């Protein structure tokens, strides 16, 4: 089999851990598989590099310089793992995103993969080498280094697996798989044996960082067999599958709860309430590549103005304020909010799911600040200090630990 394995930050967090990963890779190699290994930066390295940049500029700019800086973290790990493998007697080669032929668009610090020229990878595989690729990066059409956004090594792995038509893509991390919620918040969370692409995509998009959301989207599109499991033990992980085993899935109304702490709210007061104003505000935000999520507009006041609130990722909050300043009589930003989301395909055909969430939060004295729903998800904004309590209360209310 051709297997793509990805090892995340904690899995390669120390030199000893890189050695352990090398042994794990060799196990698969000895089992007769061809292997491409994608690695993240050692844990903490990407954050530290961002802090270095922030020494000079408070809001680390979304620039090509940042791409150059951040891509270094993954290059270090890939080189070290390849050195370890070669030293242990196995032929390996380290590749940067460029050497691996990963071509992206030009948007700095959150580039999208356009295509992969697999020639170098293929040549190395034909030569029986283990290919070790620096995750989270590629090059744009001008040959400049780009990075794929936080958690982007998952995306590198899925994209490479798709391009090579690999039999399997294994995401190795520091938990046993996908749980009903973050096991670090709710120790009673249960590991799922499998989950559909759609539910996983919602959970990931709503903050369950066990898989990066874009990687799940791509896995669904390219039909990549995706498994997430621990690099610290040999337990079976979670299969992310296109298979819609509706019979079982219909019994399961809710499959998980996610918490997104990286949210901020922008509130515009005194917005003129006439056609075209919202279009202007949101197209300006879109032109700066700002990801707007939940939007609430209040009913208009007698003076013909209204209040408009929306959420953005916390690190885009200052930029969002700059962009909309002047389009309202006041613009306020708050970072001390979080988003709690309840995800499950069974929601489509069951009533009372939302009301249970609202009464559960009410019983805990947690105020609901914004709500949005889709067919298979309910998201609620609450004050940051209540985030983890809300997750545990909802997890209990939907009996996810049963
Ligand atoms: P890696 O460095 O391996 O990419 P991440 O830190 O990005 O790992 O993601 C793994 C973490 O995701 C876990 O340690 C866990 O705290 C968190 N997490 C959040 N939600 C979930 C969930 N539903 N199931 C499992 N882990 C989750
Ligand atoms: N090192 C990058 C990050 O911390 C990418 C990754 O780990 O997937 O976001
Ligand atoms: Mg990750």
């Amino acid at each position: 089999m051709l297997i793509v394995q990805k090892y995340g930050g904690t899995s390669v967090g120390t030199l000893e851990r890189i050695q352990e990963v090398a042994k794990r890779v060799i196990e698969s190699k000895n089992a007769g598989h061809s292997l491409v290994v994608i690695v993240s930066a050692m844990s903490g390295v990407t954050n530290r590099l961002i802090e270095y940049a922030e020494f000079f500029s408070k809001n680390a700019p979304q620039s090509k310089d940042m791409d150059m800086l951040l891509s270094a973290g993954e290059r270090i790990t890939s080189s070290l793992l390849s050195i370890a493998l070669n030293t242990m007697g196995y032929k390996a080669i380290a590749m940067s995103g460029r050497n691996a032929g990963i071509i992206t668009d030009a948007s700095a610090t959150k580039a999208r993969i356009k295509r992969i020229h697999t020639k170098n990878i293929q040549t190395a595989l034909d030569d029986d080498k283990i290919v070790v690729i620096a995750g989270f990066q590629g090059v744009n059409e001008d040959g400049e280094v780009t990075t794929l956004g936080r958690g982007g090594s998952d995306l590198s792995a899925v994209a490479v697996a798709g391009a090579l038509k690999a039999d399997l893509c294994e995401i190795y991390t520091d938990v046993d798989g996908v749980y009903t919620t973050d096991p670090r918040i709710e120790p009673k969370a249960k590991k799922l044996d499998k989950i559909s692409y759609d539910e996983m995509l919602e959970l990931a998009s709503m903050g369950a960082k066990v898989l990066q959301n874009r990687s799940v989207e791509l896995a669904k599109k390219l039909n990549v067999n995706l498994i997430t499991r621990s690099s610290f033990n040999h337990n079976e992980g979670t299969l992310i599958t296109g298979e819609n085993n509706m019979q079982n899935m219909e019994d399961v109304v809710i499959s998980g709860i996610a918490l997104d702490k990286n949210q901020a709210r922008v509130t515009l007061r005194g917005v003129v309430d006439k056609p075209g104003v919202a279009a202007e505000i949101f197209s300006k935000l879109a032109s700066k590549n700002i990801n707007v999520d939940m939007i609430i507009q209040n009913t208009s006041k007698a003076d013909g103005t209204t209040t408009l609130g929306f959420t953005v990722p916390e690190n885009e909050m200052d930029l969002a304020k700059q962009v909309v300043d002047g389009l309202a009589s006041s613009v306020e930003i708050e970072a001390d909010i979080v988003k709690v989301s309840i995800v499950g395909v069974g929601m489509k055909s069951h009533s009372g799911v939302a009301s249970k969430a609202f009464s559960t939060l009410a019983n805990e004295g947690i105020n609901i600040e914004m709500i949005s729903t889709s067919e298979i998800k309910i998201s609620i904004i609450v004050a940051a200090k209540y985030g983890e309590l809300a997750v545990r209360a909802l997890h209990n209310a939907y009996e996810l630990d049963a």
Side-chain angles (χ1 to χ4, degrees):
M1 287 211 289
L2 172 59
I3 302 181
V4 173
Q5 298 185 335
K6 177 258 173 177
Y7 292 90
T10 320
S11 300
V12 294
T14 61
L15 299 175
E16 290 73 19
R17 281 297 315 164
I18 293 176
Q19 187 110 35
E20 289 304 311
V21 163
K23 289 183 196 157
R24 183 112 196 193
V25 169
I26 287 170
E27 260 175 48
S28 295
K29 182 71 186 161
N30 287 344
H33 303 305
S34 291
L35 281 171
V36 176
V37 182
I38 314 283
V39 286
S40 285
M42 296 167 79
S43 61
V45 166
T46 307
N47 285 342
R48 205 168 324 131
L49 294 173
I50 292 173
E51 282 163 27
Y52 288 168
E54 285 176 348
F55 177 83
F56 303 101
S57 160
K58 161 84 180 46
N59 277 303
Q62 293 177 351
S63 66
K64 290 176 188 166
D65 291 341
M66 278 310 277
D67 285 331
M68 277 293 287
L69 177 68
L70 298 187
S71 62
E74 268 70 8
R75 293 183 63 150
I76 293 172
T77 322
S78 58
S79 320
L80 291 174
L81 179 58
S82 181
I83 289 169
L85 287 165
N86 278 300
T87 309
M88 291 157 95
Y90 287 78
K91 285 198 290 181
I93 180 171
M95 293 186 187
S96 64
R98 177 199 310 278
N99 297 345
I102 299 173
I103 312 298
T104 72
D105 68 13
S107 59
T109 72
K110 44 183 176 182
R112 302 186 75 87
I113 297 178
K114 290 177 133 180
R115 58 184 182 280
I116 302 184
H117 297 300
T118 54
K119 190 168 147 279
N120 284 354
I121 302 178
Q122 203 57 63
T123 308
L125 286 175
D126 292 345
D127 204 16
D128 201 34
K129 287 180 178 146
I130 299 167
V131 180
V132 186
I133 303 175
F136 177 55
Q137 59 187 275
V139 287
N140 65 23
E141 303 278 3
D142 294 328
E144 295 160 332
V145 174
T146 55
T147 55
L148 307 177
R150 296 309 302 268
S153 297
D154 295 339
L155 180 63
S156 306
V158 169
V160 167
L164 293 173
K165 302 201 166 31
D167 299 288
L168 183 62
C169 180
E170 295 178 314
I171 306 287
Y172 284 92
T173 183
D174 55 6
V175 285
D176 283 2
V178 180
Y179 283 71
T180 47
T181 193
D182 188 339
R184 296 183 202 285
I185 296 175
E186 174 52 277
K188 285 188 276 184
K190 285 266 179 305
K191 200 205 80 185
L192 303 167
D193 293 331
K194 57 181 175 179
I195 184 169
S196 69
Y197 288 124
D198 290 335
E199 285 174 301
M200 189 62 234
L201 181 56
E202 286 286 1
L203 279 178
S205 305
M206 295 305 126
K209 67 172 180 161
V210 61
L211 281 174
Q212 190 225 31
N213 60 344
R214 283 165 56 198
S215 73
V216 182
E217 204 177 357
L218 191 64
K220 180 183 178 187
K221 196 164 133 193
L222 303 180
N223 231 327
V224 172
N225 284 319
L226 196 61
I227 283 179
T228 162
R229 59 190 301 191
S230 173
S231 70
F232 292 80
N233 60 48
H234 282 77
N235 297 346
E236 261 181 51
T238 301
L239 176 68
I240 293 92
T241 168
E243 171 193 333
N244 258 337
N245 188 351
M246 283 318 283
Q247 208 148 21
N248 288 336
M249 280 190 179
E250 261 194 322
D251 301 337
V252 184
V253 180
I254 304 302
S255 47
I257 317 267
L259 177 64
D260 186 350
K261 295 181 175 172
N262 175 34
Q263 289 279 309
R265 175 164 53 191
V266 184
T267 308
L268 287 76
R269 290 182 214 285
V271 180
V272 180
D273 196 13
K274 64 164 199 229
V277 174
E280 185 185 0
I281 292 170
F282 293 107
S283 59
K284 281 201 161 140
L285 291 163
S287 72
K288 292 285 179 196
N289 246 327
I290 295 171
N291 288 309
V292 174
D293 181 24
M294 287 160 87
I295 302 173
I296 281 194
Q297 182 174 336
N298 291 13
T299 45
S300 195
K301 290 202 282 190
D303 66 356
T305 67
T306 184
T307 301
L308 187 66
F310 57 87
T311 60
V312 295
E314 210 172 302
N315 61 345
E316 295 177 4
M317 145 182 108
D318 293 313
L319 181 62
K321 180 172 172 18
Q322 275 174 34
V323 171
V324 298
D325 250 342
L327 298 174
S329 51
S330 79
V331 180
E332 206 180 289
I333 46 179
E334 303 153 81
D336 54 354
I337 53 144
V338 294
K339 181 169 64 183
V340 183
S341 303
I342 304 148
V343 173
V345 287
M347 238 182 246
K348 285 186 198 177
S349 50
H350 285 74
S351 55
V353 175
S355 64
K356 183 180 258 184
F358 304 152
S359 56
T360 301
L361 296 180
N363 287 340
E364 297 291 337
I366 301 173
N367 189 44
I368 295 174
E369 310 207 5
M370 286 169 120
I371 300 168
S372 84
T373 60
S374 78
E375 262 197 319
I376 66 166
K377 176 208 77 185
I378 300 164
S379 290
I380 300 170
I381 298 284
V382 300
K385 62 180 176 192
Y386 296 129
E388 299 201 351
L389 174 63
V391 168
R392 285 190 289 266
L394 292 167
H395 195 268
N396 187 44
Y398 293 107
E399 296 172 27
L400 293 178
D401 51 354

